[in-house]
Amino acid sequence: MKNQEIKVGKSVEVENRIFYPILKIFHWKHRETETFSVSPLALVVVEGEQKYIYPLEEIDNSEELQSLMDMV
């Protein structure tokens, strides 16, 4: 069984900015073996009314970036 989820991690506030990590959580289970891994995908920064994203993985599709940012 393979399962992959994309989730928003716990936010961190620094001065007037709030940082939200976007994480990919991978779960793999086979017979008696089970593995989890967590990988950072992007960092969303909210500063007042502005919101922007720093991708940490190569993401070619701008719609995918927008959907990640909309998770926050």
Side-chain angles (χ1 to χ4, degrees), residues 21-23 39-44 53-59 65:
I22 307 292
L23 307 169
S39 304
L41 280 180
L43 185 65
V44 176
I53 188 166
Y54 293 105
L56 302 173
E57 276 191 4
E58 187 103 8
I59 300 174
L65 275 175

Side-chain angles (χ1 to χ4, degrees), residues 12-20 44-52 69 72:
V12 175
E13 188 170 344
V14 178
E15 294 180 11
N16 63 338
R17 295 181 181 106
I18 304 172
F19 297 87
Y20 295 90
V44 176
V45 181
V46 178
E47 184 175 11
E49 296 295 316
Q50 296 181 351
K51 188 189 308 186
Y52 42 97
M69 194 163 58
V72 173

Side-chain angles (χ1 to χ4, degrees), residues 1-7 23-29 34-39:
M1 173 188 87
K2 290 183 190 175
N3 185 22
Q4 180 174 300
E5 295 180 72
I6 296 178
K7 297 204 173 228
L23 307 169
K24 183 187 333 179
I25 302 168
F26 180 74
H27 176 218
W28 180 76
K29 188 174 183 179
E34 191 169 8
T35 303
F36 289 92
S37 71
V38 178
S39 304

